[in-house]
């Protein structure tokens, strides 16, 4: 099929509404360098809807390139973007609908076929990278003969392997040949797997992706001037030679070790990208692009990718319109916040409320020293934000003035929203709520950051139990986007609507959760850790248990996670869960012993590597029934499938998707595994345990 036929047949399948993405105009270059066809990528929307390449958009770029290349008077081609954005990559919305591998293969071929005209067309080409250049957006620039980059450009990256794909339009071949395998592995694999790290404009030029960094104010004029100098020979672009020796293999090996660390072989995409980068040293362009087409098609047809897209869709859509949230018109305004407790969580909450709500926030604790420490922490964090340039100095001063402290709870009298983050003790929290009720207005919200206790019970003896909600944040609060909002038995719609409105202003992804022990994330983590600990109690060595579960591709192995959670906290939650569901949640006798001995971890870390603490080794008693890695993985996943099914039956959340969202955003469940329920479906465990899958087959209908 010709390129045009491929574009036409893909366009017929696509939902991409943008027909004219590429707008071409003639620009007379300064210094008598001739006329450039300057193609501006602009989908006609403002910056909230970035340019993306669906088949029709690529078709429009193809037509613009053909037209420019056919004209003798055009001496060069330029490509730039609409304000702030070059392009955010391929439009992936149609991908789950691709029915067969031929269609998937066509997607890669079209991209390569169109973009390579920037090199093969016989005229020099320039990319003027004025802003965001993600995935296919960056690849457009890589195909050009030369690249200028704006100082203000940000979000330059190839994030594909994070999603379960590879850069499919030349990135794996062009990048290593332009900037060397070492930098290419950093961009394609390490940055993408490192929570999707992106380059700024100056970093991109340092990496060798851009040839020159130009000021943002008159970026296009400067770019055109620079291009004319290149064309007339007064600027000669020199790029450092690429090391094609052992450094190439070493970079690929390092990337593989990094991928192993991050996904433990459980996601194919980073490994496919590394294979392509390895081959890019000896391949010519045709072979490099053809290999990329094949790998892209394999990944597009994989369940892993569909799961990754499902996860992406959940966090972009469902998290923004939480299932079960009441009508937002019921929400009451919040113009002052109180935080009870000035400890680890309270300090982080005070900072978040002040930054996002921009209202006065007052902290209280048992004594002045603790209050001062809490306020001091918040002010210190604001100073750090200032030092990093994340807030300006007037803003920093304003934020500091918003956060104050007092040992006297009467300062809450005019607060609209009071959240407690004191020790995890039911009676203490009940007493605090009862005391607060004497001070605050009858319609002020009382929220609790409890990790596992009953919110209904906390509200039971209050005069106005209807204003009590659970507001469960995750540590570190600034990093983890999830907020579990808990509706207790008597919480009313207006209080819940206020909680959701506050959560949205805090820029958290809110999920409505029924008041059930440990809610979603902690319940599943506790079940998970309980099964692993039980296997260790029965005789599985701790490092073996960690290795077996790391192979699932989780962000960290269970005994490292236990250290992060805090052993006493983990024990406390395990005991709470054991009281609620003694059949399924055991309390590990070894965990109890290690906590009683005052240990903070099962491991010590000589040279940064975990080794079981010899004192812990002395303490723990182990049985004589070790599990094999397969048995352990199966045990853990079976338990999770069972627990999720019970949670759905209990109505803890509206649907399985909410469980996926909670683990993706609150527990670091990897995107490339695509949510826990599609994972349990894909591996057949859900069906074995429950007799059915959690989600409809193929997931495509959900996207
Ligand atoms: N640490 C976490 O990772 C995490 C995550 C989510 C939720 N939580 C929950 O947040 C809450 C607080 O946890 P933390 O880790 O911040 O604890 P913390 O020990 O760091 O802080 C608790 C603070 O509460 C204060 N306090 C105790 N009694 C008080 C009273 N009567 N009046 C005022 N202040 C009082 C203490 O002096 C202390 O400063 C707990 O319910 C916990 O389960 C913790």
């Amino acid at each position: 099929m010709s390129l045009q036929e491929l574009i036409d047949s893909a366009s017929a399948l696509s939902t991409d509404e943008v027909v004219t993405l590429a707008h071409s105009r003639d620009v007379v270059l300064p210094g008598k360098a001739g006329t450039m066809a300057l193609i501006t990528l602009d989908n006609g929307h403002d910056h909230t809807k970035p340019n993306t390449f669906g088949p029709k958009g690529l078709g429009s770029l193809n037509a613009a390139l053909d037209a420019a290349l056919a004209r003798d008077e055009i001496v060069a081609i330029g490509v730039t973007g609409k304000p702030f954005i070059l392009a955010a990559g391929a439009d992936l919305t149609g991908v789950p609908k691709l029915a067969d591998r031929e269609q998937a293969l066509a997607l890669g071929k079209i991209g390569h076929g169109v973009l390579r005209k920037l090199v093969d067309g016989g005229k020099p080409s320039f990319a003027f990278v004025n802003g965001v250049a993600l995935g296919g957006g960056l690849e457009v620039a890589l195909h050009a003969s030369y690249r200028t980059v704006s100082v203000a450009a940000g979000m330059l990256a190839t994030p594909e392997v994070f999603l379960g794909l590879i850069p499919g339009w030349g990135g794996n071949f062009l990048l290593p040949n332009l900037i060397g395998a070492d930098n290419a592995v950093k961009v394609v694999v390490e940055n993408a797997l490192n929570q999707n790290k992106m380059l700024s404009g100056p970093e991109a030029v340092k990496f060798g992706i851009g040839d020159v960094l130009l000021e943002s104010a008159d970026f296009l004029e400067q770019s055109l001037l620079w291009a004319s100098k290149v064309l007339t020979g007064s600027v000669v672009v020199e790029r450092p030679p690429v090391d094609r020796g052992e450094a190439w293999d070493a970079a690929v090996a390092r990337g593989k070790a990094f991928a192993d660390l991050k996904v433990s072989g459980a996601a194919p995409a980073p490994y496919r990208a590394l294979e392509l980068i390895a081959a890019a040293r000896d391949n010519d362009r045709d072979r490099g692009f053809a290999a990329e087409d094949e790998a892209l098609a394999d990944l597009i047809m994989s369940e892993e990718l569909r799961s990754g897209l499902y996860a992406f869709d959940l966090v972009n859509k469902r998290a923004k319109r939480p299932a079960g949230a009441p009508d937002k018109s019921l929400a009451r305004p919040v113009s002052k916040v109180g935080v009870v407790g000035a400890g680890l969580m309270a300090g982080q909450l005070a900072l978040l409320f002040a930054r996002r709500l921009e209202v006065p926030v007052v902290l209280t604790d048992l004594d002045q020293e603790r209050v001062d420490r809490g306020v001091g922490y918040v002010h210190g964090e604001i100073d750090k934000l200032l030092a990093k340039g994340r807030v300006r100095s007037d803003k920093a001063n304003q934020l500091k003035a918003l956060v104050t402290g007092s040992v006297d709870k009467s300062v809450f009298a005019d607060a609209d929203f009071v959240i407690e983050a004191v020790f995890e003790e039911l009676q203490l929290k009940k007493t605090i709520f009862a005391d607060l009720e004497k001070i605050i207005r009858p319609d002020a919200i009382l929220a609790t950051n409890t990790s596992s206790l009953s919110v209904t019970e906390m509200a039971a003896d209050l005069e106005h139990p209807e204003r009590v909600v659970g507001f469960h944040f995750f540590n570190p609060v600034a990093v983890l986007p999830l907020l579990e909002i808990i509706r207790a038995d008597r919480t009313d719609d207006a209080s819940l609507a206020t909680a959701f409105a506050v959560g949205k202003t805090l820029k958290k992804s809110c999920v409505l959760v029924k008041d059930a022990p440990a809610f979603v994330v902690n319940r599943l983590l506790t079940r998970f850790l309980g099964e692993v600990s039980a296997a260790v109690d029965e005789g599985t060595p701790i490092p073996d248990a960690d290795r077996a579960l790391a192979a699932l591709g989780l962000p960290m192995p269970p005994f490292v996670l236990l250290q992060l959670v805090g052993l006493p906290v983990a024990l406390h939650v395990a005991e709470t869960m054991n009281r609620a569901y003694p059949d399924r949640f055991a309390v590990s006798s070894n965990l109890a012993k290690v906590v009683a001995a005052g240990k903070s971890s099962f491991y010590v870390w000589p040279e940064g590597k975990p080794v079981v603490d010899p004192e812990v080794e002395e303490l723990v008693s182990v049985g004589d029934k070790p599990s094999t890695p397969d048995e352990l993985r199966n045990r853990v996943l079976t338990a999770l499938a069972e627990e999720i099914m019970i949670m759905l039956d209990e109505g803890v959340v509206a649907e399985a998707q909410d469980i996926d969202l909670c683990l993706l955003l609150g527990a670091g469940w990897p995107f490339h595994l695509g949510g826990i329920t599609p994972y349990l479906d894909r591996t057949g465990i859900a069906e074995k345990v429950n007799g059915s899958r959690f989600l409809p087959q193929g997931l495509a209908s959900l996207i």
Side-chain angles (χ1 to χ4, degrees):
M1 254 200 243
S2 72
L3 179 60
Q4 193 55 51
E5 283 167 340
L6 284 174
I7 292 173
D8 291 343
S9 68
S11 298
L13 287 171
S14 122
T15 49
D16 156 27
E17 99 255 13
V18 178
V19 179
T20 317
L21 179 66
H23 306 263
S24 188
R25 67 187 164 101
D26 290 357
V27 173
V28 178
L29 292 171
K32 299 206 169 77
T35 302
M36 168 181 275
L38 178 65
I39 298 172
T40 304
L41 303 173
D42 186 348
N43 61 2
H45 296 285
D46 67 13
H47 67 279
T48 57
K49 251 194 161 187
N51 299 324
T52 53
F53 292 108
K56 291 177 198 160
L58 277 171
S60 114
L61 179 57
N62 189 45
L65 287 170
D66 281 350
L69 291 169
R71 290 169 56 208
D72 289 342
E73 67 276 26
I74 296 296
V75 298
I77 312 278
V79 180
T80 191
K82 67 179 183 178
F84 314 114
I85 296 164
L86 179 65
D91 174 1
L92 296 175
T93 51
V95 165
K97 299 186 187 78
L98 296 176
D100 59 41
R101 199 171 179 284
E102 273 311 296
Q103 290 173 359
L105 205 54
L107 202 71
K109 285 186 180 164
I110 294 170
H112 283 129
V114 174
L115 301 189
R116 66 185 303 162
K117 291 186 180 179
L118 287 164
V119 208
D120 295 345
K123 297 185 196 282
S125 57
F126 293 81
F128 305 142
V129 183
N130 60 312
V132 176
L134 288 173
L138 189 63
E139 285 168 310
V140 173
L142 292 177
H143 280 266
S145 327
Y146 307 97
R147 284 157 290 280
T148 66
V149 179
S150 162
V151 175
M155 297 176 72
L156 275 71
T158 51
E160 287 86 347
V161 303
F162 175 73
L163 268 183
L165 275 177
I166 47 155
W169 293 340
N172 305 283
F173 178 82
L174 297 171
L175 259 182
N177 281 298
L178 177 69
I179 63 175
D182 192 51
N183 277 342
V185 166
K186 263 184 211 140
V187 173
V188 174
V189 176
E190 294 174 353
N191 280 0
L193 292 182
N194 218 350
Q195 293 181 346
N196 215 359
K197 196 165 168 254
M198 305 191 183
L199 301 179
S200 63
E203 283 168 335
V205 173
K206 230 191 252 162
F207 265 67
I209 292 175
D211 293 310
V212 62
L213 188 67
L214 298 173
E215 283 306 322
S216 58
D218 53 356
F219 176 68
L220 186 57
E221 287 78 358
Q222 291 299 321
S223 293
L224 293 169
L225 182 62
W226 186 83
S228 69
K229 288 181 181 166
V230 171
L231 291 169
T232 53
S234 62
V235 163
V236 177
V237 176
E238 285 179 10
R239 298 181 183 134
V242 165
D243 186 341
R244 297 181 171 278
E246 283 167 17
W248 198 290
D249 297 328
V252 172
R254 194 195 67 226
K256 181 157 179 313
F258 191 82
D260 285 346
L261 187 75
K262 288 286 178 184
V263 306
S264 308
Y271 301 96
R272 294 302 293 265
L274 287 165
E275 280 167 23
L276 291 165
I277 292 174
R281 177 171 52 187
D282 302 320
N283 269 344
D284 60 18
R285 217 151 41 104
D286 287 348
R287 291 221 313 271
F289 289 179
E292 211 171 53
D293 287 342
E294 296 295 332
L296 184 70
D298 288 346
L299 291 170
I300 285 178
M301 297 318 291
S302 70
E303 276 226 52
E304 281 90 352
L305 174 68
R306 278 145 211 258
S307 300
L309 290 176
Y310 160 82
F312 194 66
D313 193 69
L314 278 187
V315 300
N316 281 311
K317 297 208 186 114
R318 194 174 180 93
K320 299 205 165 84
R321 283 190 300 278
D327 186 341
K328 60 179 183 231
S329 67
L330 297 171
R332 292 190 289 265
V334 171
S335 47
K336 180 171 174 182
V337 172
V339 181
V340 190
L344 175 70
M345 292 302 283
Q348 299 182 68
L349 297 186
L351 176 64
L352 181 73
F353 278 98
R355 274 192 86 188
R356 300 284 182 229
L357 259 56
E358 300 193 7
V359 300
V361 178
V362 53
L363 283 163
T364 143
D365 207 301
L366 290 171
D367 53 45
Q368 193 61 44
E369 197 190 326
R370 291 177 206 225
V371 169
D372 290 346
R373 213 182 310 136
V375 174
Y377 163 82
V378 180
H379 287 190
E381 290 300 302
I382 295 169
D383 285 336
K384 284 188 204 160
L385 291 172
L386 177 65
K388 284 188 206 154
R390 305 263 297 276
V391 291
R392 291 211 318 260
S393 74
D394 51 344
K395 185 79 193 176
N397 289 335
Q398 195 190 334
L399 285 176
K400 281 186 185 174
L402 286 176
V403 180
T404 56
S406 169
V407 281
D408 179 2
K409 291 192 180 67
S410 68
V411 287
F412 293 158
D414 57 345
D416 311 290
F417 192 101
V418 180
I419 181 163
E420 72 74 25
V422 300
F423 304 138
E424 185 75 344
E425 290 165 25
L426 183 63
Q427 199 45 53
L428 173 65
K429 290 180 193 273
K430 286 187 80 163
T431 309
I432 284 176
F433 274 3
D435 289 348
L436 286 171
E437 196 160 56
K438 291 182 207 128
I439 299 164
I440 62 173
R441 290 198 321 263
D443 63 348
I445 303 291
L446 275 177
T448 169
N449 185 39
T450 179
S451 320
S452 61
L453 300 172
S454 164
V455 183
T456 301
E457 182 52 37
M458 238 176 267
D461 304 329
L462 296 181
E463 207 167 309
H464 291 289
E466 72 283 355
R467 44 110 143 249
V468 175
V469 291
F471 223 50
H472 185 214
F473 290 90
F474 292 80
N475 184 30
V477 174
V479 176
L480 291 172
L482 180 65
L483 176 58
E484 292 177 343
I485 295 186
I486 293 107
R487 175 170 214 156
D489 286 1
R490 292 163 74 182
T491 310
D492 69 9
D493 279 353
S495 305
L496 198 62
T498 309
F500 272 98
V502 169
K504 189 168 181 203
T505 313
L506 296 176
K507 295 198 177 157
K508 291 293 170 191
S509 300
C510 303
V511 174
L512 179 61
V513 182
K514 193 176 128 177
D515 188 22
F519 318 121
V520 176
V521 172
N522 284 346
R523 176 162 171 178
L524 289 172
L525 281 184
T526 306
R527 183 82 202 263
F528 169 78
L529 292 172
E531 296 295 333
V532 184
S533 303
V536 167
D537 293 357
E538 289 162 18
T540 310
I542 291 170
D544 291 6
D546 264 359
R547 256 193 306 277
L549 289 157
L552 293 177
L554 302 179
M556 68 184 75
F559 281 87
V560 179
L561 176 64
L562 266 174
Q563 179 178 344
L564 189 80
V565 170
L567 301 188
V569 174
L571 179 63
H572 188 65
V573 182
E575 287 167 346
T576 306
M577 295 310 289
N578 174 257
R579 277 193 296 278
Y581 305 108
D583 297 348
R584 304 193 307 281
F585 289 82
V587 178
S588 157
S589 54
N590 283 326
L591 176 62
K593 274 189 221 161
V594 174
V595 171
K599 288 272 155 199
S600 60
S601 175
F602 283 75
Y603 285 133
V604 283
W605 296 78
E607 295 162 22
K609 295 236 157 63
V611 173
V612 178
D613 183 339
E615 291 176 25
V616 166
E617 203 109 49
E618 284 283 298
L619 279 171
V620 300
S621 48
V622 289
D624 55 2
K625 290 197 182 60
S627 308
T628 64
D630 273 343
E631 283 167 351
L632 181 54
R633 282 191 289 270
N634 199 38
R635 172 185 191 152
V636 165
L637 293 172
T638 300
L640 289 176
E642 180 195 41
E643 199 61 36
I644 291 171
M645 187 45 83
I646 294 170
M647 288 164 80
L648 292 172
D649 285 348
E650 286 177 358
V652 173
V653 289
E655 286 175 292
Q657 288 98 305
D658 292 322
I659 303 250
D660 293 332
L661 203 48
C662 285
L663 290 198
L664 283 163
L665 299 178
W669 180 270
F671 267 63
H672 60 79
L673 296 182
I676 187 159
T677 64
Y679 182 79
L680 292 168
D681 283 347
R682 201 167 74 223
T683 48
I685 292 169
E687 203 137 12
K688 208 150 71 190
V689 176
N690 311 314
S692 66
R693 293 168 71 103
F694 284 112
L695 299 169
Q697 188 93 30
L699 308 171
S701 59
L702 295 170
I703 296 175

